[in-house]
Amino acid sequence: MRRNRKENTWYWKNRTYRCTPTDTIAAPISSRIADEDDDPGFEEDIEEAGSGAEGGQGKRKRLFSKELRCMMYGFGDDQNPYTESVDILEDLVIEFITEMTHKAMSIGRQGRVQVEDIVFLIRKDPRKFARVKDLLTMNEELKRARKAFDEANYGS
Protein backbone atom coordinates (compact mmCIF):
# COMPACT_ATOMS: atom_id res chain seq x y z
CA MET A 1 0.00 0.00 0.00
CA ARG A 2 1.39 3.39 -0.90
CA ARG A 3 0.05 6.85 -0.19
CA ASN A 4 0.14 10.15 -2.02
CA ARG A 5 -0.08 12.70 0.83
CA LYS A 6 -0.64 15.68 -1.46
CA GLU A 7 -3.90 14.32 -2.90
CA ASN A 8 -4.73 12.25 0.22
CA THR A 9 -4.98 9.17 -1.99
CA TRP A 10 -4.15 5.53 -1.23
CA TYR A 11 -3.19 2.87 -3.76
CA TRP A 12 -3.66 -0.74 -2.72
CA LYS A 13 -3.98 -3.89 -4.82
CA ASN A 14 -4.32 -1.90 -8.05
CA ARG A 15 -7.23 0.14 -6.65
CA THR A 16 -7.30 3.86 -5.88
CA TYR A 17 -8.79 5.18 -2.64
CA ARG A 18 -9.28 8.78 -1.54
CA CYS A 19 -9.76 9.79 2.08
CA THR A 20 -11.76 12.84 3.07
CA PRO A 21 -11.99 14.31 6.59
CA THR A 22 -15.35 12.59 7.13
CA ASP A 23 -13.94 9.14 6.32
CA THR A 24 -12.10 7.09 8.91
CA ILE A 25 -11.20 4.48 6.33
CA ALA A 26 -10.24 5.33 2.77
CA ALA A 27 -13.06 4.92 0.23
CA PRO A 28 -12.75 4.47 -3.53
CA ILE A 29 -13.10 7.55 -5.66
CA SER A 30 -15.76 5.91 -7.83
CA SER A 31 -18.06 5.47 -4.82
CA ARG A 32 -18.20 9.24 -4.27
CA ILE A 33 -20.21 9.56 -7.47
CA ALA A 34 -22.76 6.93 -6.44
CA ASP A 35 -25.93 8.02 -4.72
CA GLU A 36 -25.89 7.34 -0.98
CA ASP A 37 -29.52 6.14 -1.08
CA ASP A 38 -28.41 3.11 -3.10
CA ASP A 39 -26.30 1.82 -0.20
CA PRO A 40 -27.81 -1.53 0.89
CA GLY A 41 -26.57 -1.08 4.48
CA PHE A 42 -25.91 -4.09 6.66
CA GLU A 43 -27.74 -6.63 4.50
CA GLU A 44 -24.89 -7.51 2.15
CA ASP A 45 -23.00 -10.75 2.66
CA ILE A 46 -21.62 -11.39 -0.81
CA GLU A 47 -19.48 -8.76 -2.48
CA GLU A 48 -17.54 -8.64 -5.69
CA ALA A 49 -13.91 -9.35 -4.97
CA GLY A 50 -11.59 -7.40 -7.22
CA SER A 51 -8.02 -8.63 -7.33
CA GLY A 52 -7.98 -9.62 -3.66
CA ALA A 53 -6.19 -12.47 -1.91
CA GLU A 54 -8.59 -15.02 -3.44
CA GLY A 55 -6.79 -14.97 -6.75
CA GLY A 56 -9.72 -13.65 -8.77
CA GLN A 57 -12.49 -16.12 -7.95
CA GLY A 58 -15.07 -13.49 -8.81
CA LYS A 59 -17.47 -13.35 -5.87
CA ARG A 60 -16.80 -14.54 -2.35
CA LYS A 61 -18.66 -14.45 0.91
CA ARG A 62 -17.77 -11.55 3.15
CA LEU A 63 -17.09 -13.03 6.56
CA PHE A 64 -16.76 -9.97 8.77
CA SER A 65 -18.62 -7.18 6.97
CA LYS A 66 -21.39 -6.78 9.55
CA GLU A 67 -18.99 -6.70 12.49
CA LEU A 68 -16.56 -4.37 10.73
CA ARG A 69 -19.36 -1.94 9.89
CA CYS A 70 -20.36 -1.84 13.56
CA MET A 71 -16.74 -1.38 14.63
CA MET A 72 -16.19 1.40 12.10
CA TYR A 73 -19.34 3.15 13.36
CA GLY A 74 -18.12 2.74 16.93
CA PHE A 75 -14.81 4.36 16.02
CA GLY A 76 -16.52 7.39 14.47
CA ASP A 77 -17.30 6.46 10.87
CA ASP A 78 -20.71 6.84 9.26
CA GLN A 79 -23.43 4.38 10.33
CA ASN A 80 -23.38 2.93 6.80
CA PRO A 81 -19.75 3.20 5.69
CA TYR A 82 -18.74 2.77 2.08
CA THR A 83 -18.78 -0.86 0.98
CA GLU A 84 -15.30 -0.46 -0.46
CA SER A 85 -14.00 0.77 2.90
CA VAL A 86 -15.40 -2.30 4.61
CA ASP A 87 -13.98 -4.52 1.85
CA ILE A 88 -10.45 -3.16 2.15
CA LEU A 89 -10.57 -3.43 5.93
CA GLU A 90 -11.86 -6.99 5.66
CA ASP A 91 -9.06 -7.87 3.25
CA LEU A 92 -6.55 -6.55 5.79
CA VAL A 93 -8.17 -8.51 8.63
CA ILE A 94 -8.22 -11.75 6.65
CA GLU A 95 -4.62 -11.22 5.58
CA PHE A 96 -3.59 -10.64 9.22
CA ILE A 97 -5.45 -13.74 10.44
CA THR A 98 -3.96 -15.86 7.66
CA GLU A 99 -0.41 -14.71 8.36
CA MET A 100 -0.78 -15.25 12.12
CA THR A 101 -2.25 -18.71 11.56
CA HIS A 102 0.59 -19.73 9.24
CA LYS A 103 3.18 -18.44 11.71
CA ALA A 104 1.45 -20.22 14.60
CA MET A 105 1.35 -23.46 12.62
CA SER A 106 5.07 -23.25 11.94
CA ILE A 107 6.31 -22.55 15.50
CA GLY A 108 4.37 -25.00 17.65
CA ARG A 109 3.37 -28.54 16.86
CA GLN A 110 3.60 -28.67 13.10
CA GLY A 111 0.20 -28.30 11.46
CA ARG A 112 -1.66 -27.33 14.65
CA VAL A 113 -2.61 -23.96 16.05
CA GLN A 114 -2.76 -23.66 19.81
CA VAL A 115 -3.52 -20.73 22.07
CA GLU A 116 0.03 -20.73 23.42
CA ASP A 117 1.39 -20.28 19.90
CA ILE A 118 -0.74 -17.17 19.32
CA VAL A 119 0.26 -15.75 22.71
CA PHE A 120 3.91 -16.41 21.84
CA LEU A 121 3.56 -14.54 18.54
CA ILE A 122 2.01 -11.41 20.06
CA ARG A 123 4.11 -11.30 23.23
CA LYS A 124 6.06 -8.24 21.99
CA ASP A 125 2.96 -6.15 21.25
CA PRO A 126 1.76 -4.98 24.69
CA ARG A 127 -1.75 -3.92 23.59
CA LYS A 128 -2.52 -7.18 21.81
CA PHE A 129 -0.93 -9.22 24.58
CA ALA A 130 -2.98 -7.47 27.28
CA ARG A 131 -6.20 -7.94 25.27
CA VAL A 132 -5.52 -11.63 24.69
CA LYS A 133 -4.71 -12.07 28.38
CA ASP A 134 -7.99 -10.38 29.34
CA LEU A 135 -9.98 -12.51 26.90
CA LEU A 136 -8.38 -15.74 28.12
CA THR A 137 -9.03 -14.80 31.75
CA MET A 138 -12.66 -13.95 30.95
CA ASN A 139 -13.03 -17.26 29.09
CA GLU A 140 -11.80 -19.17 32.14
CA GLU A 141 -14.19 -17.25 34.40
CA LEU A 142 -17.11 -18.02 32.09
CA LYS A 143 -16.18 -21.72 32.04
CA ARG A 144 -16.09 -21.79 35.84
CA ALA A 145 -19.42 -19.94 36.10
CA ARG A 146 -21.08 -22.30 33.60
CA LYS A 147 -19.74 -25.31 35.47
CA ALA A 148 -21.00 -23.96 38.81
CA PHE A 149 -24.39 -23.14 37.25
CA ASP A 150 -24.72 -26.61 35.72
CA GLU A 151 -23.75 -28.26 39.01
CA ALA A 152 -26.30 -26.17 40.89
CA ASN A 153 -29.11 -26.98 38.42
CA TYR A 154 -28.34 -30.59 37.56
CA GLY A 155 -26.43 -31.72 40.64
CA SER A 156 -28.10 -33.21 43.66
Side-chain angles (χ1 to χ4, degrees):
M1 183 182 306
R2 63 186 173 88
R3 179 177 181 193
N4 181 343
R5 288 185 185 270
K6 193 173 191 180
E7 298 174 10
N8 209 12
T9 305
W10 296 81
Y11 304 97
W12 187 64
K13 292 192 177 184
N14 299 326
R15 294 169 77 180
T16 303
Y17 298 86
R18 179 167 292 149
C19 187
T20 63
T22 59
D23 294 338
T24 57
I25 303 294
I29 297 168
S30 60
S31 68
R32 304 242 181 253
I33 300 170
D35 188 13
E36 290 184 12
D37 296 334
D38 295 337
D39 189 19
F42 287 75
E43 306 306 319
E44 57 195 341
D45 284 329
I46 299 177
E47 296 293 327
E48 186 170 278
S51 58
E54 312 76 47
Q57 293 177 352
K59 292 189 177 190
R60 71 177 172 103
K61 184 169 176 131
R62 292 311 215 168
L63 301 172
F64 305 113
S65 64
K66 230 181 220 185
E67 292 83 1
L68 287 172
R69 285 178 186 278
C70 292
M71 287 176 64
M72 290 169 69
Y73 180 61
F75 280 100
D77 202 346
D78 189 50
Q79 189 168 4
N80 291 317
Y82 289 117
T83 304
E84 291 82 4
S85 299
V86 177
D87 290 349
I88 193 169
L89 194 58
E90 184 167 9
D91 289 342
L92 291 171
V93 167
I94 290 174
E95 185 178 329
F96 174 78
I97 291 171
T98 304
E99 286 178 14
M100 289 295 286
T101 305
H102 285 299
K103 287 178 186 176
M105 287 175 61
S106 66
I107 63 166
R109 288 179 59 190
Q110 294 297 323
R112 292 198 113 185
V113 177
Q114 295 180 337
V115 175
E116 294 82 17
D117 300 334
I118 302 293
V119 172
F120 178 79
L121 286 173
I122 62 164
R123 71 191 184 281
K124 293 181 181 176
D125 187 340
R127 293 179 78 188
K128 289 179 190 167
F129 185 73
R131 179 67 175 151
V132 166
K133 216 164 76 170
D134 288 344
L135 290 172
L136 290 173
T137 303
M138 183 130 5
N139 189 33
E140 289 299 318
E141 290 176 12
L142 286 171
K143 281 183 183 178
R144 277 189 253 124
R146 266 190 232 115
K147 186 177 179 182
F149 181 75
D150 289 342
E151 287 176 359
N153 283 345
Y154 302 115
S156 33

